[in-house]
mmCIF file of all heavy atoms in Angstrom:
data_model
loop_
_atom_site.group_PDB
_atom_site.id
_atom_site.type_symbol
_atom_site.label_atom_id
_atom_site.label_comp_id
_atom_site.label_asym_id
_atom_site.label_seq_id
_atom_site.Cartn_x
_atom_site.Cartn_y
_atom_site.Cartn_z
ATOM 1 N N HIS B 103 8.485 72.996 22.948
ATOM 2 C CA HIS B 103 8.368 72.555 21.560
ATOM 3 C C HIS B 103 9.316 73.321 20.642
ATOM 4 O O HIS B 103 9.583 74.491 20.866
ATOM 5 C CB HIS B 103 6.948 72.790 21.059
ATOM 6 C CG HIS B 103 5.989 71.760 21.534
ATOM 7 N ND1 HIS B 103 5.870 71.419 22.866
ATOM 8 C CD2 HIS B 103 5.111 70.974 20.866
ATOM 9 C CE1 HIS B 103 4.958 70.482 22.990
ATOM 10 N NE2 HIS B 103 4.478 70.200 21.798
ATOM 11 N N ILE B 104 9.808 72.606 19.655
ATOM 12 C CA ILE B 104 10.480 73.261 18.532
ATOM 13 C C ILE B 104 9.587 73.013 17.330
ATOM 14 O O ILE B 104 9.383 71.864 16.943
ATOM 15 C CB ILE B 104 11.863 72.633 18.260
ATOM 16 C CG1 ILE B 104 12.708 72.634 19.528
ATOM 17 C CG2 ILE B 104 12.560 73.360 17.135
ATOM 18 C CD1 ILE B 104 13.927 71.738 19.421
ATOM 19 N N HIS B 105 9.052 74.080 16.783
ATOM 20 C CA HIS B 105 8.066 73.884 15.713
ATOM 21 C C HIS B 105 8.724 73.661 14.364
ATOM 22 O O HIS B 105 8.124 73.135 13.451
ATOM 23 C CB HIS B 105 7.105 75.075 15.667
ATOM 24 C CG HIS B 105 6.295 75.172 16.908
ATOM 25 N ND1 HIS B 105 5.294 74.279 17.200
ATOM 26 C CD2 HIS B 105 6.368 76.005 17.967
ATOM 27 C CE1 HIS B 105 4.766 74.574 18.376
ATOM 28 N NE2 HIS B 105 5.407 75.620 18.865
ATOM 29 N N HIS B 106 9.977 74.053 14.303
ATOM 30 C CA HIS B 106 10.658 73.944 13.020
ATOM 31 C C HIS B 106 11.386 72.610 12.917
ATOM 32 O O HIS B 106 12.132 72.234 13.812
ATOM 33 C CB HIS B 106 11.661 75.104 12.897
ATOM 34 C CG HIS B 106 12.425 75.047 11.626
ATOM 35 N ND1 HIS B 106 13.716 74.578 11.562
ATOM 36 C CD2 HIS B 106 12.078 75.368 10.363
ATOM 37 C CE1 HIS B 106 14.132 74.636 10.313
ATOM 38 N NE2 HIS B 106 13.155 75.104 9.565
ATOM 39 N N CYS B 107 11.156 71.871 11.840
ATOM 40 C CA CYS B 107 11.829 70.583 11.654
ATOM 41 C C CYS B 107 12.983 70.713 10.674
ATOM 42 O O CYS B 107 12.789 71.128 9.536
ATOM 43 C CB CYS B 107 10.840 69.543 11.149
ATOM 44 S SG CYS B 107 11.649 67.975 10.799
ATOM 45 N N PRO B 108 14.169 70.334 11.096
ATOM 46 C CA PRO B 108 15.349 70.502 10.240
ATOM 47 C C PRO B 108 15.323 69.640 8.991
ATOM 48 O O PRO B 108 16.084 69.893 8.062
ATOM 49 C CB PRO B 108 16.509 70.089 11.157
ATOM 50 C CG PRO B 108 15.900 69.248 12.214
ATOM 51 C CD PRO B 108 14.515 69.772 12.402
ATOM 52 N N MET B 109 14.454 68.637 8.963
ATOM 53 C CA MET B 109 14.394 67.795 7.768
ATOM 54 C C MET B 109 14.010 68.610 6.542
ATOM 55 O O MET B 109 14.391 68.282 5.424
ATOM 56 C CB MET B 109 13.392 66.658 7.959
ATOM 57 C CG MET B 109 13.828 65.615 8.942
ATOM 58 S SD MET B 109 15.417 64.859 8.566
ATOM 59 C CE MET B 109 14.910 63.610 7.363
ATOM 60 N N ASN B 110 13.253 69.672 6.779
ATOM 61 C CA ASN B 110 12.829 70.511 5.662
ATOM 62 C C ASN B 110 14.019 71.174 4.964
ATOM 63 O O ASN B 110 13.954 71.479 3.777
ATOM 64 C CB ASN B 110 11.876 71.606 6.154
ATOM 65 C CG ASN B 110 10.641 71.006 6.808
ATOM 66 O OD1 ASN B 110 10.256 69.882 6.491
ATOM 67 N ND2 ASN B 110 10.051 71.743 7.738
ATOM 68 N N ASP B 111 15.076 71.400 5.734
ATOM 69 C CA ASP B 111 16.225 72.118 5.182
ATOM 70 C C ASP B 111 17.333 71.176 4.736
ATOM 71 O O ASP B 111 18.374 71.609 4.267
ATOM 72 C CB ASP B 111 16.849 73.043 6.237
ATOM 73 C CG ASP B 111 15.792 73.816 6.993
ATOM 74 O OD1 ASP B 111 14.801 74.183 6.357
ATOM 75 O OD2 ASP B 111 15.968 74.027 8.210
ATOM 76 N N THR B 112 17.140 69.877 4.983
ATOM 77 C CA THR B 112 18.244 68.956 4.757
ATOM 78 C C THR B 112 18.052 68.221 3.446
ATOM 79 O O THR B 112 17.036 67.556 3.247
ATOM 80 C CB THR B 112 18.317 67.930 5.907
ATOM 81 O OG1 THR B 112 18.350 68.651 7.140
ATOM 82 C CG2 THR B 112 19.551 67.077 5.797
ATOM 83 N N PRO B 113 19.020 68.351 2.548
ATOM 84 C CA PRO B 113 18.883 67.673 1.263
ATOM 85 C C PRO B 113 18.984 66.169 1.469
ATOM 86 O O PRO B 113 19.780 65.699 2.286
ATOM 87 C CB PRO B 113 20.084 68.199 0.473
ATOM 88 C CG PRO B 113 21.079 68.646 1.500
ATOM 89 C CD PRO B 113 20.297 69.058 2.698
ATOM 90 N N GLY B 114 18.168 65.390 0.792
ATOM 91 C CA GLY B 114 18.210 63.932 0.906
ATOM 92 C C GLY B 114 19.522 63.387 0.368
ATOM 93 O O GLY B 114 20.102 63.947 -0.552
#
Side-chain angles (χ1 to χ4, degrees):
Chain B
H103 282 52
I104 306 166
H105 295 289
H106 179 258
C107 176
M109 290 304 277
N110 301 334
D111 315 324
T112 307

